[in-house]
């Protein structure tokens, strides 16, 4: 983790960022410290209200902000956590406040873990946007779609982007173009149009489906938890359920299926799915809660990575980051934190330029560094997804299977040893590298632990009884 704050002294030049999602806005924040002007071009009309929008359909879905993401946001926008809290985000400490049910049982809640803030994805995005727009040199052009890259005649240097909006088409010149347009990024097609090579792509698909819904928290609700993460056992019961408090006294509930199993969007089917989780605690909580939204289904959840770092020939002055470069199975909550890592990588690369105007070689250096930075979250998500039958796009080799067995043992140890739990939870929060899971104490604890044969019984919550509602 870099210690220095992001650069704050802008140099000359104009950068264009495609997409005002999390990755685009964080990249824009960093660029504002290095160039005179940053223009973020966004296809959607950005709402004044805090609400999901078309270009970010996952905005309806449950989102957890991991510790690493919050730490990074605070560094990019000092006071960000307070702003988010003032806007209604709920402080949550993992695992003290969150019941986490892994394959091995309930995670030991005595571990110190980490603090975070729980909020809807639109509120997190709106808070970032407000802070970004307060910076000098930032312009957001919304309601405009980037339709192509413009480049020098030989296609070697990107010079800007073609844009289409209600007011017609235009070309926006830029010294640097950053594509943060999400999973639907068209950069591979645009590179082909420029006559250059297109990167390889890896897709691992565990066929995860999210179905999220907002509920009003019942008046007088009390429990010894504020959030729930109930992981399915993807071999036997591939149903998971998350519940987190968000602004305005609501819960966001995500029911997550795998391998073609998914929650129905009607009342009865949704409730039935909640009841089929490995613990009844979530269904019990919902029984007294009033739904305040429809159920929204989401299927775009593959681990999908374009290997820009492997391109032997690429145009200068074009960078790709966020989901446009590397998107994760969202079950592990790594997307927004990885957008933070990408912004930090961009800052580091721009700082190490030989001189202010010299952008030669930046594109290749950035993509290689970003790929190295994201290798661990990628291996984590893919490693988990490859455990399960029916996942397409890869197979688990002998080393991976050994790691799976080791992790199974660690999860058992994490149900009763707060030292193990703490490292495990910190690794999930991206505060620790996965190699931390190989520390001597954890190796020993894993050696002493045996996963139960034939699956695990649906254990009750370890403290008190889970949901208890008190009628108003
Ligand atoms: C179901 C689900 C649950 C998730 N849960 C979590 C979680 O718990 N924790 C977490 O950290 N992450 C989670 N994520 C991931 C997270 O939402 C993203 O990884 C993260 O927000 C980074 O996205 P992005 O900014 O790269 O892309 P996006 O959010 O997709 O934003 C791309 C933006 O680009 C715009 N755009 C697209 N094309 C153009 C164009 N041609 N011209 C102009 N604008 C364009 C779009 O309108 C959009 O605003 C989840 C994702 C899904 C799908």
């Amino acid at each position: 983790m870099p210690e220095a704050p992001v650069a704050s002294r802008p140099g000359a030049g104009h950068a264009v960022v495609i997409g005002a999602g999390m990755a685009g806005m964080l990249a824009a924040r960093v660029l504002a410290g290095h160039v005179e002007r940053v223009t973020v071009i966004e296809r959607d009309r950005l709402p004044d209200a805090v609400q999901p929008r078309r270009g970010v359909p996952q905005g309806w879905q449950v989102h957890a902000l991991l510790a690493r993401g919050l730490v990074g946001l605070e560094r990019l926008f000092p006071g960000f956590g307070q702003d988010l809290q003032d806007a209604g985000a709920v402080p949550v400490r993992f695992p003290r406040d969150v019941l986490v049910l892994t394959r091995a049982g309930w995670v030991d809640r005595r571990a110190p873990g980490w603090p975070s803030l729980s909020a809807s994805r639109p509120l997190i995005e709106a808070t970032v946007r407000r802070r970004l727009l307060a910076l000098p040199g930032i312009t957001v052009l919304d309601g405009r779609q980037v339709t192509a890259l413009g480049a020098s005649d030989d296609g070697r240097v990107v010079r800007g982007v073609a844009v289409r909006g209600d007011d017609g088409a235009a070309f926006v010149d830029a010294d640097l173009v950053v594509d943060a347009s999400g999973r639907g990024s068209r950069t591979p097609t645009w590179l082909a149009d420029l006559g250059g090579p297109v990167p390889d792509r890896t897709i691992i698909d565990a066929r995860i489906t999210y179905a999220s819904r907002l509920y009003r928290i019942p008046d007088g609700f009390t429990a010894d938890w504020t959030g729930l993460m109930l992981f399915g056992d993807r071999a036997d019961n591939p149903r998971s359920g998350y519940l987190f408090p968000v602004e305005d006294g609501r819960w966001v509930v995500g029911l997550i299926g795998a391998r073609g199993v998914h929650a129905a969007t009607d009342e009865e089917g949704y409730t039935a799915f909640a009841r089929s989780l490995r613990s009844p605690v979530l269904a019990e909580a919902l029984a007294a809660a009033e739904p305040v939204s429809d159920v929204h289904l989401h299927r775009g959840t593959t681990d999908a990575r374009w290997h820009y770092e492997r391109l032997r020939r690429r145009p200068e002055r074009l960078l790709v980051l966020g989901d446009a470069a590397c998107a994760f199975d969202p079950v592990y909550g790594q997307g927004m934190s990885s957008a933070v890592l990408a912004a930090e990588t961009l800052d580091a690369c721009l700082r190490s330029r030989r001189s202010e105007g010299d952008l030669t070689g930046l594109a290749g250096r950035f993509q290689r560094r970003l790929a190295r930075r994201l290798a661990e979250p990628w291996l984590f998500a893919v490693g988990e997804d490859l455990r399960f039958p029916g996942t397409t796009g890869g197979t688990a080799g002998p080393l991976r299977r050994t790691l799976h067995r080791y992790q199974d043992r660690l999860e058992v140890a994490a149900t009763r040893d707060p030292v193990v739990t703490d490292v495990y939870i910190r690794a999930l929060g991206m505060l620790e590298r996965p190699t931390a899971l190989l520390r001597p104490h954890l190796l020993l604890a894993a050696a002493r632990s045996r996963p139960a044969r034939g699956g695990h019984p649906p254990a009750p919550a370890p403290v008190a009884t889970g949901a208890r509602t008190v009628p108003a």
Side-chain angles (χ1 to χ4, degrees):
M1 231 188 275
E3 285 308 317
V6 288
S8 58
R9 207 166 23 85
H14 177 217
V16 159
V17 178
I18 310 172
M22 288 295 287
M25 289 191 293
L26 300 183
R29 160 65 193 98
V30 160
L31 287 163
H34 294 278
V35 297
E36 200 176 4
R37 286 186 305 125
V38 183
T39 306
V40 183
I41 302 177
E42 167 56 49
R43 190 171 53 187
D44 280 354
R45 284 260 170 235
L46 294 171
D48 291 329
V50 174
Q51 63 188 49
R53 57 191 176 85
R54 197 161 161 226
V56 184
Q58 74 270 32
W60 290 104
Q61 304 299 324
V62 60
H63 270 62
L65 180 57
L66 299 184
R68 183 63 183 87
L70 184 56
V71 167
L73 283 164
E74 190 66 37
R75 189 177 296 133
L76 291 167
F77 300 105
F80 178 84
Q82 192 58 54
D83 286 354
L84 194 58
Q85 220 171 308
D86 291 346
V90 182
V92 175
R93 190 162 193 107
F94 288 74
R96 188 192 64 194
D97 303 333
V98 181
L99 296 186
V100 182
L101 178 62
T102 65
R103 285 175 291 262
W106 298 96
V107 160
D108 188 330
R109 292 164 72 192
R110 291 170 298 170
W114 40 266
S116 188
L117 293 168
S118 186
S120 70
R121 161 62 205 251
L123 183 65
I124 299 171
E125 189 179 299
T127 308
V128 171
R129 192 158 68 233
R130 194 170 58 73
R131 290 294 303 265
L132 181 71
L133 286 170
L135 296 174
I138 299 276
T139 307
V140 176
L141 296 177
D142 64 349
R144 289 172 177 86
Q145 178 172 358
V146 172
T147 54
L149 296 172
S152 55
D153 289 343
D154 58 8
R156 287 193 179 167
V157 183
V158 167
R159 300 271 190 225
V161 294
V163 177
R164 195 175 53 220
D166 291 342
D167 48 358
F171 188 81
V172 179
D173 291 308
D175 301 299
L176 188 63
V177 173
V178 176
D179 176 14
S181 61
R183 284 177 181 261
S185 162
R186 303 216 34 225
T187 290
T189 309
W190 295 335
L191 286 181
D193 292 346
L194 292 178
V198 172
D200 305 330
R201 190 179 198 192
T202 303
I203 297 185
I204 309 288
D205 190 0
R207 293 191 292 142
I208 304 288
T209 307
Y210 270 57
S212 292
R213 188 178 206 186
L214 291 161
Y215 289 81
R216 184 153 315 289
I217 302 177
D219 288 341
F221 177 85
T222 57
D224 77 330
W225 51 263
T226 46
L228 301 170
M229 293 184 85
L230 312 177
F231 288 100
D233 178 338
R234 287 204 202 153
D236 296 329
N237 179 359
R239 296 172 183 81
S240 302
Y242 296 169
L243 176 154
F244 287 108
V246 294
E247 65 277 6
D248 301 328
R250 298 171 300 169
W251 281 325
V252 60
V253 172
L255 299 183
I256 303 159
R259 302 201 311 272
V261 174
H262 64 82
T265 53
D266 62 282
E267 193 68 52
E268 205 179 315
Y270 198 70
T271 309
F273 190 100
R275 284 208 205 96
S276 70
L277 299 174
R278 289 171 54 232
S279 159
V281 61
L282 192 149
E284 284 172 5
L286 293 193
E290 177 203 351
V292 290
S293 79
D294 292 336
V295 177
H296 292 270
L297 208 63
H298 194 105
R299 287 198 169 86
T301 58
T302 53
D303 300 297
R305 178 173 181 184
W306 290 101
H307 293 282
Y308 286 100
E309 74 282 5
R310 292 186 194 157
L311 279 181
R312 284 170 193 272
R313 198 156 51 82
R314 75 182 75 236
E316 295 286 353
R317 301 182 180 223
L318 171 68
L319 315 181
V320 186
L321 47 71
D323 285 6
C326 182
F328 304 87
D329 171 353
V331 167
Y332 315 105
Q334 304 183 115
M336 294 187 291
S337 297
S338 295
V340 165
L341 297 183
E344 290 175 357
T345 305
L346 176 59
D347 190 45
C349 286
L350 287 168
R351 278 167 191 262
S352 61
R353 280 178 299 170
R354 275 190 296 277
S355 68
E356 201 174 83
D358 185 12
L359 296 171
T360 314
L362 174 74
R365 265 198 312 281
F366 171 76
Q367 300 298 163
R368 286 188 292 274
R369 224 158 145 167
L370 180 65
R372 282 199 297 277
R373 197 72 188 84
L374 297 185
E376 286 172 352
W378 172 260
L379 285 175
F380 183 76
V382 166
E384 275 301 290
D385 285 345
L386 288 181
R387 271 176 183 266
F388 305 105
T391 296
T392 58
T395 47
L399 175 62
R400 181 109 54 192
R401 288 199 297 273
T402 305
L403 288 173
H404 287 158
R405 284 193 290 277
Y406 177 69
Q407 197 182 331
D408 288 343
R409 285 166 170 256
L410 265 191
E411 285 185 358
V412 174
T415 63
R416 55 185 184 225
D417 179 340
V419 176
V420 175
T421 313
D422 198 46
V423 180
Y424 177 77
I425 288 287
R426 285 174 62 80
L428 282 183
M430 295 172 72
L431 288 177
E432 297 275 5
R433 303 183 60 182
T435 48
L437 297 171
L438 300 172
R439 286 182 190 150
H441 177 85
L442 280 80
L443 286 167
L444 203 61
R448 290 181 180 145
S449 302
R450 289 265 183 286
R453 282 173 186 273
H456 303 280
V463 187
T465 54
R468 281 281 175 267
T469 54
V470 179

